[in-house]
Amino acid sequence: MAASVTLSRLVFSTATATTTATATASLLPPKTLPSKVSLRIPARRCPKPLRFSSSSISATIAVGDKLPEATFSYLDSEGEVQTTTVSELTKGKKAVLFAVPGAFTPTCSQKHVPGFVEKSGELRAKGVDTIACISVNDAFVMKAWKKDLKVNDEVLLLSDGNGTFTKAIGCELDLSDKPVGLGVRSRRYALLAQDGVVKLFNLEEGGAFTFSGAQDILDVL
Ligand SMILES: *[C@@H]1O[C@H](CO)[C@@H](O)[C@H](O)[C@H]1NC(C)=O
């Protein structure tokens, strides 16, 4: 089953109306980069970072599908590499998996994880067993990002470094023509799975952050 959305423009930004010229942190092309890029996270807005064109976006996974098996890695508190699998995360469980185009990427991703951390108690109260963030980054970067965001165990930060899971669900995002060095990453999404079967799939346009937040999941629980 394929879900497909055709877009004239694929943007990293949110549709939030507060997107204004005051945006500082961005993935803009070099010529428009301010001399000092601020990574500060504005309280309630997600500045428009990167614009690029694409004729269509699509995913191969859809509501009703079983998630493909895949292995993720992470570093434990001792700094040892550990792995976990889609089935470990989802079998017999209610699981929320969400993805970002990259650890440390400005504003939107820097807000996505904290939103789930903040709502993790509410999600668990609604029966969610697993809350995990997936990114096409290596486990060392994910660990550093976890530390930077001061995340404990509210949300698992998992590495899909080779993009195997991301590709298996058709969510790869090719940013290889952008000068920031991201290469092929994951589109932003949030999904809810019950015993490994997708119940809700909020797939964003590129890295946009409009309806893949924790509250959007809470709203359907
Ligand atoms: C890594 O990705 C490549 C290309 O998508 C794939 O052929 C390969 O099987 C993957 N390796 C692992 C260990 O998943």
Side-chain angles (χ1 to χ4, degrees), residues 162-164 167:
N162 192 43
T164 307
K167 281 179 203 141

Side-chain angles (χ1 to χ4, degrees), residues 70-202:
T71 301
F72 303 109
S73 62
Y74 60 96
L75 297 184
D76 64 19
S77 53
E78 312 289 304
E80 298 289 329
V81 178
Q82 303 291 341
T83 59
T84 186
T85 61
V86 170
S87 49
E88 280 171 8
L89 295 164
T90 64
K91 200 171 176 7
K93 294 175 181 170
K94 204 180 262 187
V96 174
L97 306 182
F98 66 100
V100 298
F104 295 103
T105 56
T107 315
C108 295
S109 292
Q110 293 287 70
K111 285 172 68 178
H112 207 174
V113 173
F116 275 94
V117 170
E118 190 188 314
K119 304 275 182 191
S120 60
E122 283 176 67
L123 288 163
R124 288 185 202 285
K126 298 263 186 183
V128 173
D129 305 287
T130 300
I131 308 171
C133 173
I134 297 161
S135 185
V136 180
N137 280 111
D138 63 71
F140 298 94
V141 166
M142 293 304 272
K143 172 87 172 179
W145 194 35
K146 179 180 169 174
K147 192 176 170 197
D148 185 72
L149 292 174
K150 300 185 172 63
V151 176
N152 295 313
D153 293 319
E154 305 94 333
V155 174
L156 302 171
L157 297 192
L158 303 176
S159 161
D160 181 29
N162 192 43
T164 307
F165 175 75
T166 299
K167 281 179 203 141
I169 64 167
C171 281
E172 64 268 37
L173 175 65
D174 189 352
L175 300 172
S176 53
D177 59 339
K178 300 297 168 293
V180 287
L182 290 165
V184 178
R185 295 301 181 91
S186 176
R187 288 167 58 198
R188 189 183 308 281
Y189 61 81
L191 67 81
L192 174 68
Q194 178 79 54
D195 196 21
V197 176
V198 180
K199 297 295 177 191
L200 175 80
F201 185 41
N202 288 354

Side-chain angles (χ1 to χ4, degrees), residues 14-23 42-48 111:
T14 170
T16 309
T18 49
T19 310
T20 64
T22 57
R44 306 197 74 76
R45 81 174 81 124
C46 207
K48 61 174 171 63
K111 285 172 68 178

Side-chain angles (χ1 to χ4, degrees), residues 3-69:
S4 166
V5 189
T6 302
L7 297 169
S8 55
R9 225 169 195 177
L10 193 57
V11 295
F12 245 64
S13 68
T14 170
T16 309
T18 49
T19 310
T20 64
T22 57
T24 48
S26 72
L27 291 172
L28 289 166
K31 63 178 179 339
T32 51
L33 267 179
S35 55
K36 252 189 178 169
V37 178
S38 163
L39 286 178
R40 284 185 63 82
I41 305 160
R44 306 197 74 76
R45 81 174 81 124
C46 207
K48 61 174 171 63
L50 176 64
R51 281 170 179 277
F52 54 100
S53 300
S54 174
S55 53
S56 75
I57 56 170
S58 65
T60 51
I61 195 116
V63 169
D65 290 350
K66 181 129 180 90
L67 289 171
E69 184 60 314

